[in-house]
Amino acid sequence: MRSVLLRLTRSMKLRLLLTIFVPGMTLLIAAQFSMLGFYRSRAVSVRTSEVQTQLMSLANHLINYDYLRDPSSESIGAELAQFSSLYNGRVLVIDDMLKVVKDTYRMSEGKTVVSADVVKCLRHGSNGRSSYYDREEGFITLYMPIIETAALEVGDYSERAQETEIVKGVLLASVSTASIESTCDYLQRMAMLVVLIAGVLLGALSIVAAVLLVRPVDRLARSVAEVRDGFSNQQVPKYSYLETERIADGVNGIVDRVRIMDESRQEFVSNVSHELKTPMTSMKILADSLIAENNVPEEMYKEFLTDIAQEIDRENSIIAELLSLTKLNRKNAPMNITQVNINELMEIILKRVRPIAQKRDIELTLESVRDVTAGVDEPKLTMALTNLVENAIKYNKEHGTVTVTVDADPRNFIVKIADTGVGIPEESLDMIYERFYRVDKSRSREVGGSGLGLSITKSAVLLHRGTIQAESKEGEGTTFTVTIPLNYVQRAADPAAGKRA
Ligand code: ADP
């Protein structure tokens, strides 16, 4: 159950849904509360100013009727009663001695009111009026000074009179805000209903949006699963998003690589079988012909058995080459790096192949432009360079030459092997490193080639992080250039780590 929930929290659809729904709902609820708050404060301020206007006119009437001295006026009494019933509140008329002259609730008449706000009104006149809203209890309290305006003489010789305020008392009113509260309650219920409906709509919208937005990803996952399960080896479609396009491109790259690897593996297996079968067929023919004949002379036996031995040698050399190629191509092929003098290495190689060259009167020369010492895997590099020199001899003309040059730049050493042989056609230059590729099959077989030499060379050079290039002119000759860093650069997870000289 927990794992199901955990899985659910990792769902892209759920996360998208929440990303739309939660902020949407928060916004709706916040809007509802702020609208209600705004309405309440607006309603209270409108009510306050309305009551203040009423109180001001009431205060004027009180002055006109001199109510503070003689509170017997019936019309004022009626006015006060009407006010308190209209606003569902209470009014106290207080004189300048803080004595309650009139209380519409008749509870405090004759009593003295001790209140800072009343005193403020008496002191500051029209500037002293104030009002308070008590949300808990649901009423507004207002203090309104009762002011008499009198004309005051300014100096003896001034004709002009100045008006002055005399505060005669204070009107203290408290009015109920029940109607505002009930409107607010009603509005809140309505708003909650609206939020509820909007929430359901938003939820439905979020689900639809999440499903639609994630659909391309779902489709991509299905397509990838089809490829993985082997139902399809088609390219995975890219589906609308840039992100899905990137994933699809990545998967398609892998699919292509797997296809190429699969094809090359099949080709390799068929080539290996073919190459190994050829010497077998020859041996079978030779053996069969000996068996079929009666009284075969001894010389013929010897001749046929020599041929069979040659075929066995051939078979062995193909197997040996295949083994070294698989070793070189193995991921993380171990590199045993030591400091080697490349000029001396080249001399040793040339010395070893010189007898073969002499058979065809081919001249081997070594030109050491620079004396080079580099960090290399000696057996692997020897194998690579020997193959190149052997090829330069094998595919050379009688009395030809092979010139080997050893040079270096600040970072790499460069070995050039130039021959004056048959050359390689332009269109074959890119293919010569393929396993079992031969420009001229019959010629290659004649000279004992298996088509694996250059694959081995290239793999060994690549293991040294080097490059190999061939330039050739048909009928004139070929030059192979091998460029290898002077210092072997180990990479992460490189098995040669720690073995570097
Ligand atoms: P092989 O064992 O047949 O020599 P390689 O992989 O060494 O196989 O070479 C592949 C093919 O490239 C050879 O069959 C040959 O046709 C061509 N080739 C390689 N080196 C030379 C060269 N120096 N001159 C001309 N052709 C060459």
Side-chain angles (χ1 to χ4, degrees):
M1 181 67 190
R2 248 190 91 198
S3 71
V4 173
L5 276 177
L6 260 168
R7 261 181 80 80
L8 206 67
T9 55
R10 287 173 52 218
S11 149
M12 192 173 171
K13 269 185 215 136
L14 183 76
R15 288 187 187 186
L16 265 173
L17 191 148
L18 292 178
T19 315
I20 304 170
F21 185 72
V22 173
M25 272 319 272
T26 316
L27 222 71
L28 269 172
I29 293 170
Q32 174 215 328
F33 277 115
S34 64
M35 291 288 279
L36 276 173
F38 176 73
Y39 169 77
R40 176 178 278 113
S41 71
R42 179 89 192 120
V44 167
S45 87
V46 166
R47 173 69 53 90
T48 307
S49 67
E50 189 185 311
V51 173
Q52 269 170 344
T53 318
Q54 290 289 329
L55 286 175
M56 255 153 75
S57 106
L58 203 58
N60 284 338
H61 290 175
L62 292 179
I63 291 292
N64 292 345
Y65 282 85
D66 204 7
Y67 189 81
L68 289 161
R69 219 176 294 153
D70 172 19
S72 61
S73 162
E74 277 186 16
S75 88
I76 295 290
E79 208 174 320
L80 286 169
Q82 192 191 10
F83 176 90
S84 59
S85 80
L86 181 65
Y87 291 109
N88 191 16
R90 179 182 184 184
V91 187
L92 270 74
V93 181
I94 302 159
D95 68 10
D96 53 0
M97 301 305 287
L98 302 177
K99 209 181 95 198
V100 177
V101 176
K102 172 80 182 167
D103 174 4
T104 51
Y105 279 18
R106 297 179 186 282
M107 281 153 61
S108 308
E109 279 174 9
K111 291 181 184 164
T112 305
V113 175
V114 184
S115 148
D117 287 288
V118 173
V119 175
K120 203 170 106 194
C121 272
L122 290 172
R123 276 210 191 129
H124 301 291
S126 51
N127 292 333
R129 69 183 186 189
S130 51
S131 65
Y132 303 99
Y133 169 49
D134 185 337
R135 194 177 155 189
E136 291 283 298
E137 300 294 328
F139 63 82
I140 308 168
T141 311
L142 302 101
Y143 297 86
M144 176 66 67
I146 304 164
I147 298 167
E148 186 176 18
T149 320
L152 188 77
E153 290 292 326
V154 182
D156 293 340
Y157 37 84
S158 168
E159 299 263 301
R160 277 178 297 148
Q162 223 179 39
E163 288 200 332
T164 185
E165 286 182 346
I166 303 163
V167 185
K168 292 283 187 180
V170 177
L171 272 173
L172 195 167
S174 56
V175 295
S176 163
T177 52
S179 61
I180 295 177
E181 295 306 329
S182 71
T183 314
C184 277
D185 283 350
Y186 173 73
L187 282 178
Q188 186 152 15
R189 277 198 301 279
M190 289 305 289
M192 267 164 72
L193 194 71
V194 170
V195 167
L196 205 75
I197 294 169
V200 171
L201 286 176
L202 189 69
L205 194 90
S206 318
I207 292 171
V208 173
V211 169
L212 286 181
L213 285 170
V214 176
R215 187 174 283 172
V217 180
D218 277 342
R219 284 191 187 148
L220 180 65
R222 268 202 300 277
S223 305
V224 172
E226 273 174 20
V227 173
R228 180 202 60 204
D229 298 339
F231 294 131
S232 152
N233 54 4
Q234 299 290 308
Q235 293 263 308
V236 172
K238 302 192 170 172
Y239 303 110
S240 43
Y241 297 136
L242 272 178
E243 288 77 4
T244 49
E245 188 176 317
R246 279 218 298 274
I247 299 172
D249 282 346
V251 173
N252 288 335
I254 297 172
V255 170
D256 279 348
R257 255 180 58 191
V258 169
R259 188 174 44 76
I260 290 167
M261 269 164 64
D262 200 38
E263 280 170 12
S264 90
R265 187 179 50 84
Q266 281 176 14
E267 196 188 306
F268 181 61
V269 171
S270 88
N271 284 343
V272 169
S273 327
H274 179 78
E275 291 303 320
L276 294 180
K277 234 183 118 200
T278 318
M280 289 287 194
T281 318
S282 313
M283 283 189 274
K284 172 89 174 133
I285 293 168
L286 288 165
D288 278 351
S289 48
L290 282 183
I291 296 163
E293 296 263 336
N294 288 326
N295 304 322
V296 184
E298 197 178 328
E299 306 85 68
M300 203 168 157
Y301 261 115
K302 270 210 167 134
E303 193 193 325
F304 276 35
L305 282 175
T306 315
D307 287 351
I308 288 175
Q310 266 175 6
E311 292 300 330
I312 291 172
D313 283 347
R314 200 170 137 63
E315 187 102 30
N316 269 340
S317 90
I318 295 174
I319 291 168
E321 284 190 339
L322 272 172
L323 281 175
S324 38
L325 189 63
T326 18
K327 263 189 214 156
L328 288 175
N329 283 350
R330 210 187 308 144
K331 278 240 155 70
N332 298 337
M335 291 290 277
N336 188 12
I337 303 294
T338 50
Q339 289 299 316
V340 174
N341 184 303
I342 306 298
N343 312 68
E344 285 171 14
L345 181 81
M346 230 34 250
E347 253 172 50
I348 297 168
I349 294 173
L350 291 186
K351 197 172 157 197
R352 221 181 282 153
V353 297
R354 193 151 270 131
I356 317 168
Q358 274 166 356
K359 271 191 204 157
R360 298 177 59 209
D361 190 28
I362 291 166
E363 193 190 329
L364 299 183
T365 10
L366 173 64
E367 278 178 20
S368 290
V369 182
R370 274 195 178 79
D371 193 48
V372 182
T373 304
V376 292
D377 182 317
E378 192 173 348
K380 291 191 180 79
L381 188 69
T382 308
M383 189 155 57
L385 296 173
T386 309
N387 278 341
L388 290 177
V389 179
E390 277 177 355
N391 278 353
I393 298 167
K394 277 195 296 190
Y395 301 102
N396 218 319
K397 295 170 189 160
E398 295 265 316
H399 321 298
T401 61
V402 174
T403 313
V404 180
T405 320
V406 178
D407 197 359
D409 64 22
R411 285 163 167 255
N412 310 294
F413 69 88
I414 301 133
V415 179
K416 277 191 182 174
I417 294 128
D419 64 54
T420 52
V422 291
I424 302 167
E426 175 94 50
E427 64 275 12
S428 299
L429 271 179
D430 284 340
M431 269 116 73
I432 48 176
Y433 307 103
E434 301 284 325
R435 290 170 297 201
F436 297 113
Y437 182 83
R438 282 162 294 195
V439 177
D440 180 347
K441 270 199 190 276
S442 59
R443 188 190 171 107
S444 166
R445 196 160 293 134
E446 216 174 89
V447 292
S450 63
L452 289 171
L454 285 181
S455 314
I456 292 172
T457 301
K458 184 157 187 179
S459 300
V461 171
L462 287 182
L463 278 176
H464 284 87
R465 325 265 183 247
T467 56
I468 178 165
Q469 280 170 333
E471 281 169 64
S472 188
K473 246 194 184 154
E474 263 187 284
E476 287 185 24
T478 310
T479 303
F480 279 92
T481 309
V482 174
T483 310
I484 289 176
L486 289 167
N487 293 306
Y488 176 76
V489 188
Q490 76 190 45
R491 305 254 162 94
D494 196 329
K499 286 189 182 175
R500 272 185 74 192

